[in-house]
């Protein structure tokens, strides 16, 4: 089951999402985490911490689970 990540902005970056969901403890760790782990965004590998995630995007993180981005506005 995918965990829902609610955002109140048009998008969230991959690095911000990893920090918010406590996959990493600081934003600065995103670069190294993404270099050492295969994170998939919408079923494709992506290692860009600045990757913009929009509502309905899915993120699969090894050993942390799957996440789906949702808008708080219900858009």
């Amino acid at each position: 089951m995918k965990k829902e990540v609610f955002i109140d902005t048009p998008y969230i970056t991959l690095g911000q999402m990893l920090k918010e969901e406590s996959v990493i403890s600081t934003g600065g760790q995103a670069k190294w985490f993404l270099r050492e782990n295969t994170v998939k965004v919408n079923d494709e590998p992506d290692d860009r911490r600045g990757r913009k995630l929009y509502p309905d995007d899915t993120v699969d993180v090894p050993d942390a689970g799957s996440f789906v981005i949702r808008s708080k506005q219900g858009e």
Side-chain angles (χ1 to χ4, degrees):
M1 183 171 166
K2 296 183 188 231
K3 181 177 179 189
E4 293 183 319
V5 178
F6 290 95
I7 59 172
D8 55 5
T9 56
Y11 65 87
I12 186 171
T13 66
L14 181 55
Q16 289 172 324
M17 195 265 335
L18 292 172
K19 185 173 181 292
E20 265 191 33
E21 295 304 312
S22 300
V23 175
I24 57 176
S25 48
T26 67
Q29 292 178 328
K31 182 178 181 178
W32 290 274
F33 181 85
L34 292 169
R35 188 180 303 156
E36 296 175 4
N37 296 277
T38 303
V39 174
K40 291 187 177 182
V41 176
N42 298 328
D43 295 321
E44 294 187 14
D46 202 324
D47 63 357
R48 298 174 293 161
R49 64 184 173 181
R51 165 72 188 259
K52 293 178 181 176
L53 304 173
Y54 296 94
D56 297 324
D57 281 348
T58 59
V59 181
D60 296 310
V61 183
D63 300 322
S66 296
F67 304 88
V68 63
I69 308 303
R70 297 282 186 224
S71 173
K72 283 187 181 177
Q73 292 90 8
E75 298 174 351

